[in-house]
Amino acid sequence: MAHLVSTSCSLKISATNKAFPQRSNQGPTAFPSSWALQSSKSPYESLISRQEKHQRKFIVQATAVPLNQQAPTQAGASSYQHSNGSSKMQRVMIIGGDGYCGWATALHLSNKGYQVAIVDSLVRRLFDHQLGLDSLTPIASIHNRLRRWKSITGKAIELYIGDICDFEFLSETFKSFEPDAVVHFGEQRSAPYSMIDRSRAVFTQHNNVIGTLNVLFAIKEFREECHLVKLGTMGEYGTPNIDIEEGYITITHNGRTDTLPYPKQASSFYHLSKVHDSHNIAFTCKAWGIRATDLNQGVVYGVRTDETELHDELNNRFDYDGVFGTALNRFCVQAAVGHPLTVYGKGGQTRGYLDIRDTVQCVELAIANPANSGEFRVFNQFTEQFSVNQLAALVTKAGAKVGLDVQTVNVPNPRVEAEEHYYNAKHTKLIDLGLEPHLLSDSLLDSLLNFAIKYEDRVDKKQIMPSISWKKIGVKPKTVAA
């Protein structure tokens, strides 16, 4: 059902037409009068072209259920116990639920019986338009995605379109949905994007840090018992010459011993924003008693989950470009189109990796086993470690099995990072909670390669080579040639 938002800046229109809005030639803000619209302050206006900058932005809050139908109660939904002894179905708000990790997680949790709401500004789609990029997989609109999910499963996912940097929007969303857990994916997630130019660096830090601060204040103000599950990154740690612990390290110095947050060595403005987030969350857990779990995730690969395979309109995005594409996904696409695998520098850069199916598993485990009041937990979320050279060798071998002649080329490293280093990160806490990893197998690589071959005609080879330099970032806004 539609939600009318009552705020001082809202534009209320009564809901009489009970069909979903159809695609309009007037652009993304042209919604029919059957929807409640609320004007939104947009902190990413500076990223929109001058011609569009002063157009009014709108927020739509709706479920994927036609308004003339009543959503059935979801049987078997996960529940939790109130302090007063009562129980109810657990309500999970997924911020950034239209993105790569968020979409897969939203469907997974909905399928498991949680009551799910997606909160998203849809700005990730705007980035593609600005930079001339596109997902390898065709992506349906968020409304069509949710309609399809409802038609297949009978499960409704609520949708709140707006910017969490607008606290008025976020507070109304919290009061409307009343989440028991918030899964926060809603951040600009690309290190290269944050290094394009000054405006993107500023946007990344503002969007990520202020957005997370707003979430923390919303929890304090409206849902004190709500559990925050925040997506962090293994990149916060850097590549130290000692083992990486899970969030904390016990050290002895001058005869005294203490357990302290593990040192941070961020390597981009994006990674720095994640470090700031971690510090802010840790502080509010201590000061306000917020319960939070920080999932320091490694590099994610893959595209399919049990839920996204149900229909093409549930496809997840698959990025292969030099801005948003992750290493293994990029290599599989490069192999499929006959482009040499682009290894940055010496190729000894080693990181933790995990399948997208394990991402959704980890989030579910964190929700089902919440942090205590005032506790700031840190889980390292990955399943295996690989160097870039090792990944290239695996893809080369898998390509040969399906008849591809895969070559590798070492290209100048656009990043500032160690290309040969020690790397040993602990990752036992999620295993202890019951994570059953999907390890990188020959069959999975075959599946990824065949998937890339299926959509080969959608590959823009101009987007394969890296074009963003850590050292050459400047003040002048960088544009993309047509």
Side-chain angles (χ1 to χ4, degrees), residues 90-111:
Q90 193 161 5
R91 302 172 65 82
V92 181
M93 175 185 291
I94 301 179
I95 301 174
D98 188 47
Y100 176 51
C101 293
W103 176 242
T105 301
L107 296 189
H108 177 78
L109 293 179
S110 176
N111 196 38

Side-chain angles (χ1 to χ4, degrees), residues 36-50:
L37 304 180
Q38 177 185 339
S39 60
S40 170
K41 308 179 188 75
S42 174
Y44 55 83
E45 280 185 341
S46 60
L47 296 184
I48 303 174
S49 65
R50 291 178 184 270

Side-chain angles (χ1 to χ4, degrees), residues 172-444:
E172 292 298 329
T173 301
F174 260 74
K175 287 185 286 186
S176 172
F177 184 69
E178 297 184 333
D180 303 306
V182 172
V183 181
H184 185 12
F185 292 116
E187 300 196 316
Q188 193 294 101
R189 66 169 179 84
S190 165
Y193 186 92
S194 75
M195 303 301 292
I196 292 176
D197 53 33
R198 185 206 65 84
S199 67
R200 266 84 173 205
V202 170
F203 169 81
T204 298
Q205 299 238 335
H206 182 277
N207 181 80
N208 295 2
V209 178
I210 303 304
T212 298
L213 270 176
N214 279 349
V215 172
L216 292 168
F217 272 96
I219 292 173
K220 179 181 185 295
E221 188 70 18
F222 307 114
R223 298 293 291 177
E224 288 184 338
E225 293 300 311
C226 181
H227 176 210
L228 173 63
V229 179
K230 167 69 165 57
L231 189 71
T233 171
M234 290 297 294
E236 291 187 34
Y237 300 122
T239 54
N241 198 38
I242 59 173
D243 289 355
I244 297 173
E245 305 296 332
E246 296 200 62
Y248 298 90
I249 185 170
T250 299
I251 62 173
T252 299
H253 179 66
N254 290 341
R256 302 187 68 85
T257 300
D258 202 353
T259 298
L260 302 169
Y262 197 95
K264 312 288 188 179
Q265 299 184 75
S267 59
S268 72
F269 290 119
Y270 155 74
H271 290 104
L272 283 163
S273 75
K274 292 289 194 176
V275 172
H276 301 329
D277 286 341
S278 295
H279 289 158
N280 285 338
I281 298 169
F283 169 73
T284 56
C285 288
K286 181 179 179 180
W288 302 340
I290 284 177
R291 57 185 77 223
T293 301
D294 205 1
L295 299 175
N296 281 343
Q297 182 167 256
V299 184
V300 187
Y301 59 82
V303 66
R304 288 174 170 162
T305 62
D306 290 344
E307 293 78 20
T308 63
E309 286 191 310
L310 293 176
H311 195 278
D312 284 348
E313 279 194 318
L314 302 179
N315 273 348
N316 205 347
R317 64 179 308 117
F318 190 102
D319 297 307
Y320 63 89
D321 57 86
V323 181
F324 291 100
T326 56
L328 185 58
N329 286 357
R330 288 192 297 111
F331 282 174
C332 288
V333 171
Q334 290 169 9
V337 300
H339 191 288
L341 309 187
T342 53
V343 173
Y344 295 172
K346 297 178 180 179
Q349 301 94 317
T350 302
R351 302 290 187 269
Y353 289 81
L354 77 162
D355 191 302
I356 185 67
R357 292 172 294 179
D358 292 336
T359 291
V360 302
Q361 224 191 132
C362 292
V363 172
E364 183 187 6
L365 285 168
I367 294 171
N369 301 275
N372 295 319
S373 178
E375 181 184 10
F376 177 58
R377 302 186 304 187
V378 181
F379 297 162
N380 290 346
Q381 183 170 301
F382 70 96
T383 58
E384 298 177 275
Q385 293 183 180
F386 298 102
S387 71
V388 176
N389 285 332
Q390 288 173 324
L391 288 180
L394 289 170
V395 173
T396 299
K397 178 182 176 182
K401 290 173 62 177
V402 296
L404 298 174
D405 180 19
V406 182
Q407 303 296 318
T408 299
V409 60
N410 293 78
V411 302
N413 193 344
R415 305 185 179 210
V416 177
E417 62 183 358
E419 296 177 2
E420 295 176 318
H421 56 85
Y422 176 81
Y423 197 82
N424 184 40
K426 307 292 179 62
H427 57 111
T428 61
K429 293 181 180 179
L430 284 162
I431 298 291
D432 292 343
L433 288 179
L435 173 64
E436 299 178 356
H438 297 81
L439 301 181
L440 186 58
S441 62
D442 290 344
S443 61
L444 177 60

Side-chain angles (χ1 to χ4, degrees), residues 441-478:
S441 62
D442 290 344
S443 61
L444 177 60
L445 280 170
D446 291 346
S447 174
L448 276 174
L449 283 170
N450 285 318
F451 188 84
I453 292 169
K454 175 182 177 180
Y455 291 104
E456 179 182 356
D457 62 334
R458 289 179 55 86
V459 176
D460 180 358
K461 293 184 179 180
K462 297 192 301 294
Q463 304 298 340
I464 289 177
M465 294 300 290
S467 60
I468 299 166
S469 169
W470 264 229
K471 292 184 177 180
K472 294 180 180 179
I473 183 173
V475 172
K476 184 178 180 182
K478 187 172 181 179

Side-chain angles (χ1 to χ4, degrees), residues 70-188:
Q70 179 68 34
T73 301
Q74 298 178 9
S78 298
S79 62
Y80 79 106
Q81 200 78 13
H82 275 291
S83 56
N84 63 9
S86 63
S87 63
K88 69 169 188 174
M89 290 182 290
Q90 193 161 5
R91 302 172 65 82
V92 181
M93 175 185 291
I94 301 179
I95 301 174
D98 188 47
Y100 176 51
C101 293
W103 176 242
T105 301
L107 296 189
H108 177 78
L109 293 179
S110 176
N111 196 38
K112 291 290 185 176
Y114 291 86
Q115 291 186 305
V116 175
I118 286 175
V119 178
D120 205 301
S121 68
L122 308 184
V123 71
R124 176 64 186 86
R125 295 174 185 253
L126 176 63
F127 294 159
D128 277 354
H129 291 305
Q130 290 177 330
L131 299 176
L133 308 176
D134 202 358
S135 165
L136 178 71
T137 48
I139 301 299
S141 73
I142 186 62
H143 300 90
N144 286 342
R145 281 175 151 186
L146 295 182
R147 270 201 297 266
R148 180 60 61 185
W149 177 248
K150 172 66 169 62
S151 71
I152 292 173
T153 67
K155 298 175 185 291
I157 295 177
E158 294 188 51
L159 174 63
Y160 297 83
I161 297 178
D163 191 341
I164 65 170
C165 289
D166 177 352
F167 188 72
E168 188 170 23
F169 159 76
L170 184 62
S171 62
E172 292 298 329
T173 301
F174 260 74
K175 287 185 286 186
S176 172
F177 184 69
E178 297 184 333
D180 303 306
V182 172
V183 181
H184 185 12
F185 292 116
E187 300 196 316
Q188 193 294 101

